[in-house]
Every structure is written in structure tokens, then in C-alpha cells.
Amino acid sequence: MATRPLRTFTVLPNLPSELQCLQHISYNLWWCWDHDAISLFRRIDEAKFEQVEHSPVKLLATIGQDRLDQLRDDEGFMAHLNRVSESLKRYLTASTWFHETYIKKDKQPEAALDRYRIAYFSAEFGLHESVPIYSGGLGLLAGDHLKSASDLGLPLTGVGLMYREGYFRQYLNVDGWQQERYPENDFFNLPLVAQCKPDGSPLLVSVALPGRDVWIRIWHLQVGRVPLYLLDTNIPQNNPDDRQITARLYGGDHDMRIRQEMVLGVGGIRALRALGKMPSVCHMNEGHSAFSGLERIRLMMEEHGLDFAAAREAIAAGTCFTTHTPVPAGNDVFAPQLLQHYFSSYLASLQISWDDFIGLGRQNSRDQNEPFCMTVLAIRLSNISNGVSKLHGRVSRNMWNAIYPNLPENEIPITSITNGVHTRTWMAADFSLLYDRYLGTNWEQRPTDHSIWKKVDNIPNAELWRTHERRRERLVVFARQRLHAQLERRGATPSEIARADEVLDPEALTIGFARRFATYKRGTLIFRNIERLAAILNNKDRPVQIIFAGKAHPRDHGGKELIAEIVHVCRRPEFRRRMVFLEDYDINVARFLVQGVDVWLNNPRRPLEASGTSGMKVCVNGGLNLSVLDGWWCEAYTGDNGWAIGAGEEYSDNDRTYQDDVESRAIYDILEQEIVPLFYNRTADGLPRGWINYMKNTIKTVCPMFNTHRMVEEYTKVSYIPSALRFSHLAGANLKSATDLSNWRRKLVREWPQVRVENIDANGKDAMHVGAEFDITARIHLGGLSPDDVEVQLFHGIIDNAGEIPQPATIAMIANADRTGATWSYKGKIRCQSSGQYGYTVRVLPCHTNLGNAFEPGLVCWG
């Protein structure tokens, strides 16, 4: 049937003038981390607020005129509305950490805002359950990043994709097998505003694909002070296939994925340009948006008449990259043929050869068999790259060491900034009031202040425990309601549905396990010895219960098998009241879980958990972690703020069965010998004082460190400000510094093969005493380079059993006038600081004032 042309118009709620500010509040996601604003919307109609998945926009669209008139005449509600409205105004106009730290102190404050403008690219953003454009940890981290950037006042803009269907909704069939459904997002009942031209027509940008242009509409979502722009290809200007590009998050094959990433990266930069919001710094959250670097280079070439090399120097200076994936298979790779299909015409505007282009995405740029990797492209186009925990930084340096083949692993230029969570988003309102009472209200503005969190000791044990118990009771009620709805949807018998009201015990020790069901996370590890588990859970005097939730990727058969196994075990008579699986894990389910469980279980195969953040959310609410020492828990665990499974061992693939046996036994041992006794050992007043001490320790140690305020401040100091200043320097004076640096780099690549250490002489003896010094002279052949182009270093330290120097120290050697042709003499001195077997050598590194760091070119000559 032919499609009939339709004229469209938007219908908005008919709010009385006195209630107009409700619309303003509902269109700023600030409300979702302000408990008073949330309670305002609940007050309008609690039942409907639940039905519309806590969406104020949908709520206002469904409220009848009679109810709106009642609210207008309700003095209590109007006072509440005015209080929230004033709170939002104060929030948006108050001075911020970034303004006080960087803008106010700048000699040219207005120019500083442009100099520090940041664009944050991510394929998903987990802001709230009512805006379903996220799948899991990466999206939740991105959402919390924006919230803290807003709180701290960073001049940051988010860029992502506006998915018509988002990530799938999960339900389980009678056999416990995951099924997926994809309900469409109703854009006009989301807090979205379409970006338009001055004449009112939609603002569109385009990306060229083979034989056609894909047109992109831009939607605006406000997150506190931070604008988030979301790109949408589902518009009439595109053919049906291209309209699907923004249909599903992580859907489709490699062909669909590369088109999504072209829209995100290339289209994202074009959208920012069309909006007049071009950044100085781009932060790529994972490699999905790495094509943004190519588009920024192309624009700089076009606008300033530069070649690719010079433009790349400037753009890389203003780019930082965060990798979240600790396994090679988790990084997007594309076959060269696919790249050629989509980028052959784009290549002409970059003015580089095909080999140079494809080499940007290969660890070994000359390996014709290596596919094109988006993570490698992101690393090559950034001046700062980081992992998301200290351990993940180490894993990432090992994963990508082939990009820097001559460098020791610990010097590969990939650092780490450990993830955090947005404290106010994940904290229960009960705990927020408790902290206000005993910590003061400054914890909200200064969540990184350790001295504030130490005041947790002032909270009376009984008050802290009762607050936590209320959250556990609410979790149990929520789980029963959820299970009841699941059984009805599945067509269960009335007797089965009735039994849903009997599952779980609001006073029992409650363990939570909820996450993406990838096989390495080992969701069924606790079932390794089912009889022993049954004895632990069904102890009459000391019962334990477990709540599971999580989704497997639609194509992850192994993950789906884990879910089915859990569901089958939950249905066994001995576990029916002690274990449940909650379907359709989302932010709302996560909120109840992290605010209500006593213990959060996390048992991935180390070191495959890059960071993890769910366990941090538990700590904000007084919950404790039982976790493998992986990701963030390596840094957080102190021995008295939770429990560790194992001691940080790493097993080979051949030892997986043995590893599962060892670590499952460790879980049972810790439960039986430590967790259960600590929880149930009560004093005369009924309080588990030992457990409460652990609760206070976890709040004091985790809350001030593992939050996104600390994380975003760290990104600002380590990545954003240095990148902005480097970009400003290289892009200034008509990009002279960028051109000079690219010319120097050409010379460096041309002349480096001639660099060699000809000989090393030392006046030290084999046996030296602590405190002794000895001189070293090295003769270095520099070819066509000069001493200004290099730094010659003494590389020295204690040798380990493998003959390596695991913790080297370096000393810059000084060139002197003793020169023969292209060979220069360098001198240095080593002081013996401690006893042991020492080793040293001499190495040569590139050196240039505009180089981000000496290791970035990946060139080193060893003596």
C-alpha cells in the first residue's frame, strides 16, 4: 500500500499558567538526581508515575485537566513546586568548581570558556530508565559522567545516537530462555527538543555513504547544565535501510555497525559545527566514535589549507580517549574491504594514501592481514589514552604494546583514571537524609572530601541499621511485585502466582548479583556445589537469599544459557523462597538492588572486569562487596570494608575448571565463616555491631574516592586542561606550531634508522657500596638529527629474576662538545641508592617541545 503523505504537529499538555514550570523541570534531567524533584512528580499521581516508568514528560501528558486544576489549587503542592523550581534556578546559576578553579583565575575568562570547550562522545548514555538509550555499564558511566560534569560546571557537551528502539527489553519464556522485544521510543513523549533552523525547519547534517548522503536530525536533551545532542537518521530524507542506522543500540552486523559509527563520529562533529559548538577537546568514550578525529582533521585541512600530517598534530593534541575493554575481542574491528567501501571517497578529502589510512587502525601499520581496529585508531588520534582502573591500565598497556614495540610495558603511554558513580543518583533518599543529619549538607557539593565522610562514625549504629533495613524491606516488596508480574505475563498458574508473595524474607541476609550476562562474569559460579549452597541459604536460624538480574546480548548464546540455568535452579523446591531472577534489568531495577542488598557479589575472571561500578553504588547505601580482586575493587579493598575472593590470582585458559572450583569454594567459605556469622551476631539491642562497623568502613573508604566528581576532576586535570592547552598552542598563530611539529616528525621518521648507541663506558666497579657514584659516557650516532631532537637517558634499577628492571629510574644525559661527525658524546652519573643486583643501559628517545610525551612516537633506540 502506498504511503500517504501526512502533515504532522505536536500536542503539548495544557498546563495552567501556575504549573508551567513543571514543563521546564521535566525537560531537564536534573530532576532525576534531586530527591525533592522526584517526590514532586510522585505527588502528582504516584500510580501513573510508576506506569510511565517515572517519566515526568509522559506523566504530564496523561494527567487530566481536573487533576491539574486540583494541583493548582493545592497550596501544599504549589509550595513544593516553587521550592523545586527555585532549587533548579539556584543550581543553574550557582558558581561551580570549574569556574572557580579555571575560569575565574584566567586572565581572559570569556576566552577561557572557548579554550576549554569539551565534547564527550559515547554510543550510549544511561541517564534514567525513562530515556532508554543505554545497555549497561558503559552507558551508565557516560550518564554519570555528564551529571558530574554538570555539577562541577565543566563546559562540556555530550554527543550520542538517538535510538528509535534503544536496547532490547528482556522477558523469559517458560523454559527460562531470554527473549527480546524492541518497543519503539516515542520521541515526542521524551524530554527531547528538535534542533531547528531560524525559519523553524529541522536542522539537518549529512554524512556521505556510497552513492548517497545519509541525513541526520539533531535532538537536544538537557542534563543539568550540560547539553546532550543525539543524532537520528529515522527521517523521510533517508532510504528505509539508512533509517535503520539509529534503530537499535549494538544491533545489526559489521556493515550496520560501521554506518552507526560514521554517523556518531563524522556526523557528530558536523552536528556540533552546525550548532556553533565546535570543541577544543574531544573525549572519545570507547572507540565507537573514533571517526570523529578524522572529521576534525578534514575540517582543519579544509579551513586552513594544511596537509593531513599538520592537521593531525593539532587535532590529536585536543583529543583524549578512554578504553573500557580488557579483551581484544571486545574492540570493534572492520575488514579492509568494508573500510574501502565506505571511505574510498572520503579518503580524497584527507589527501593520504590508502595504506596510510588503513595503517591508522592497525597496531602494525604494515601488516596487510591485520583488520582495522577502532581502538587503535582512537589511540593514534589522541594525545592521552586511559583505562578505567589501575589494573585495567596495566592490562591495556599489555594489550596494545604492539603499537609501541620497543617500549617497556610500563612506559606505554596509556594511563588510567578509575571509574566512579554519581553519588546523588544512586543514593537512596533515606540515606541522603541520614547523611544530611550527621555529615552536614556539604557532602553533596564535596563528595570527594574524606574529612566529611569520616563523620559517618557519628551516625548512631541503630539509626544506620534501621535505615538500611528499610531499604532491604522495600527491595523485597519490589522483587515480589516484579516476580508476580513476570509470572502473570508468562501464563503461570494461580497457585504459582500466589507463591510470589512468599518469596524472600525482609529480614534475611540478602545478596545481589546483577550485571550483563557475559560468560566471563560467571553468573552461575555460586552453583558449583549446589548442596552446600542449599545448606547456606536454608539455615533456619541464619537464612540467606540471592536476587539475580541481568541481560545477555541477543547473540550471546553462552550468556543466555547462564540465565536459563539460574532460572531453573531458582525453581527448585529448596531454592524457591530463597532465590529469584528479576527480568528486564534496567536502571530502576538496579536502583532497588544497590539500595537494598546487604552484599553485592561479583566474581568475574580476573583481569577481565575493566572496572565495574555497580559495587560502588552499593557502598553509597551501606552495602558491602564480596568480589574477586578485579577492576576497581583492587584499589578499594582494605580488609575491613568488604571481602575478597582469592588474592588476585590470574589463571590461564587451561585452568578455568580448576579456577572455578577454587573460587567457588572461597565464596562458600567466606559466606559460612565470615559473612553469615558477622550479619547474624547481634548484641542485646538486636544490632549486628560488627557488620555495622564494616558498613561504616565501606562508606568512609569508597564514597569519597569512587565517585564521578573525583573521576571528572581527574579527567579535567589529567586530560581536558592539558589537551585544551596543547590544542590552543598548536592551533594558534595560523597553526605554525602544528606545521613545525609535523615537519619535525617527518624528519624524525626519515633519520631515526641512523640513530644508534655506538659504545658505553663506565668508571664503576662490579662491587659498589650504597651511596657510591660512578660516571657513564656514551657515544651516540644521531645521523641527520641534532641533540635538540633527542633525549639520551640512563635507564637503570634493580634487576629481577627474569633479568628485567621492573621499576626503572631514568636520568637525562648531557651532550658535550666532544663530537665526531654525526656522533655525539653524552655524560651521566648513577648513584647507588640501595643494595642489590643493579643493571643499566642507555637509550635514545625523540624530544620536541610540542610533543605530548616522548613515548608517543613509539621510537626508542637502546644501547
Side-chain angles (χ1 to χ4, degrees), residues 748-761:
L748 182 71
V749 171
R750 185 176 63 248
E751 300 293 341
W752 193 259
Q754 299 183 56
V755 175
R756 60 183 180 273
V757 179
E758 293 193 335
N759 71 296
I760 304 171
D761 290 323

Side-chain angles (χ1 to χ4, degrees), residues 288-497:
H288 308 119
S289 58
F291 293 141
S292 63
L294 295 176
E295 177 63 9
R296 290 175 76 204
I297 290 170
R298 187 195 67 78
L299 282 174
M300 186 160 275
M301 293 172 65
E302 181 183 277
E303 292 171 0
H304 297 278
L306 300 175
D307 63 10
F308 180 88
R312 178 185 172 185
E313 296 291 354
I315 294 305
T319 307
C320 44
F321 166 60
T322 299
T323 175
H324 293 258
T325 312
V327 289
N331 296 269
D332 282 347
V333 295
F334 298 117
Q337 298 90 326
L338 199 60
L339 264 290
Q340 200 154 32
H341 177 68
Y342 281 105
F343 278 89
S344 56
S345 60
Y346 190 85
L347 204 58
S349 61
L350 296 179
Q351 300 171 27
I352 56 174
S353 70
W354 166 252
D355 286 342
D356 286 343
F357 174 74
I358 199 77
L360 290 169
R362 287 171 167 164
Q363 293 197 67
N364 180 351
S365 57
R366 294 181 295 278
D367 183 353
Q368 298 298 314
N369 296 316
E370 186 180 337
F372 185 96
C373 177
M374 294 296 284
T375 300
V376 175
L377 176 65
I379 291 172
R380 291 196 186 278
L381 296 184
S382 303
N383 81 127
I384 297 170
S385 299
N386 69 278
V388 289
S389 69
K390 289 179 182 176
L391 176 60
H392 182 232
R394 192 198 81 194
V395 170
S396 298
R397 289 188 288 274
N398 176 265
M399 274 178 64
W400 306 112
N401 60 14
I403 301 175
Y404 310 95
N406 296 316
L407 283 177
E409 191 174 292
N410 64 343
E411 290 183 327
I412 288 171
I414 300 176
T415 184
S416 66
I417 296 175
T418 303
N419 282 347
V421 298
H422 187 254
T423 307
R424 291 180 68 194
T425 290
W426 297 103
M427 181 182 292
D430 317 57
F431 269 87
S432 180
L433 292 171
L434 188 68
Y435 294 152
D436 283 350
R437 194 175 305 129
Y438 293 100
L439 278 61
T441 55
N442 281 339
W443 69 266
E444 291 190 18
Q445 284 74 44
R446 302 194 339 250
T448 61
D449 190 332
H450 287 259
S451 65
I452 292 175
W453 291 102
K454 285 179 181 176
K455 295 177 185 176
V456 164
D457 287 331
N458 298 336
I459 302 176
N461 288 340
E463 203 166 345
L464 179 61
W465 184 243
R466 300 301 173 222
T467 303
H468 174 65
E469 284 197 309
R470 282 196 302 273
R471 295 310 315 175
R472 190 191 319 113
E473 289 164 6
R474 288 174 190 171
L475 169 60
V476 169
V477 170
F478 172 80
R480 288 173 176 172
Q481 292 171 342
R482 195 92 175 181
L483 186 60
H484 194 281
Q486 288 173 198
L487 292 169
E488 280 190 335
R489 189 167 53 245
R490 205 178 297 153
T493 63
S495 59
E496 279 184 288
I497 295 172

Side-chain angles (χ1 to χ4, degrees), residues 623-639:
L624 304 177
N625 278 268
L626 168 59
S627 176
V628 168
L629 286 169
D630 198 6
W632 76 284
W633 190 234
C634 297
E635 301 167 45
Y637 176 63
T638 60

Side-chain angles (χ1 to χ4, degrees), residues 573-587:
E574 66 267 39
F575 294 118
R576 190 161 302 190
R577 295 187 62 237
R578 295 289 177 223
M579 289 199 307
V580 297
F581 185 94
L582 302 183
E583 295 177 15
D584 203 23
Y585 186 46
D586 65 357
I587 288 176

Side-chain angles (χ1 to χ4, degrees), residues 87 107 118 141 199 324 332 361 368 494 637 707 783 832 843 856:
S87 203
K107 294 177 182 176
I118 306 149
L141 185 278
D199 64 4
H324 293 258
D332 282 347
Q368 298 298 314
Y637 176 63
N707 62 74
C832 302
R843 69 178 181 184
E856 178 264 313

Side-chain angles (χ1 to χ4, degrees), residues 112-322:
L113 269 175
D114 283 333
R115 188 185 315 127
Y116 298 137
R117 199 167 296 284
I118 306 149
Y120 181 86
F121 282 76
S122 183
E124 51 174 307
F125 287 91
L127 294 156
H128 187 258
E129 62 267 25
S130 64
V131 186
I133 54 171
Y134 63 93
S135 72
L138 179 73
L140 295 181
L141 185 278
D144 283 7
H145 193 113
L146 294 197
K147 292 172 185 177
S148 277
S150 170
D151 290 343
L152 294 168
L154 270 68
L156 183 142
T157 299
V159 181
L161 299 179
M162 187 59 226
Y163 302 100
R164 191 173 77 247
E165 297 172 355
Y167 205 50
F168 70 90
R169 305 299 296 266
Q170 177 199 56
Y171 67 99
L172 305 181
N173 67 15
V174 175
D175 197 38
W177 194 256
Q178 174 180 290
Q179 308 289 305
E180 298 90 27
R181 60 187 180 90
Y182 293 87
E184 292 203 4
N185 286 321
D186 179 0
F187 287 18
F188 295 96
N189 271 315
L190 289 171
L192 298 171
V193 176
Q195 295 298 286
C196 296
K197 298 176 184 176
D199 64 4
S201 61
L203 177 63
L204 304 179
V205 295
S206 67
V207 171
L209 294 185
R212 70 215 187 265
D213 284 337
V214 169
W215 291 92
I216 302 165
R217 190 173 191 181
I218 308 164
W219 297 90
H220 171 214
L221 183 69
Q222 193 65 28
V223 186
R225 299 180 177 94
V226 169
L228 169 60
Y229 294 104
L230 299 167
L231 312 178
D232 171 23
T233 65
N234 183 33
I235 53 177
Q237 290 85 343
N238 293 325
N239 66 44
D241 191 38
D242 288 337
R243 292 181 70 161
Q244 295 298 311
I245 292 174
T246 55
R248 292 182 181 178
L249 174 59
Y250 304 142
D253 55 12
H254 280 83
D255 186 84
M256 177 59 76
R257 180 64 66 88
I258 196 170
R259 283 186 283 156
Q260 283 188 332
E261 296 184 355
M262 290 178 74
V263 168
L264 176 61
V266 178
I269 292 297
R270 292 180 183 179
L272 291 175
R273 190 186 189 207
L275 291 163
K277 293 181 177 290
M278 280 296 284
S280 300
V281 176
C282 276
H283 182 178
M284 300 181 289
N285 188 43
E286 198 54 284
H288 308 119
S289 58
F291 293 141
S292 63
L294 295 176
E295 177 63 9
R296 290 175 76 204
I297 290 170
R298 187 195 67 78
L299 282 174
M300 186 160 275
M301 293 172 65
E302 181 183 277
E303 292 171 0
H304 297 278
L306 300 175
D307 63 10
F308 180 88
R312 178 185 172 185
E313 296 291 354
I315 294 305
T319 307
C320 44
F321 166 60
T322 299

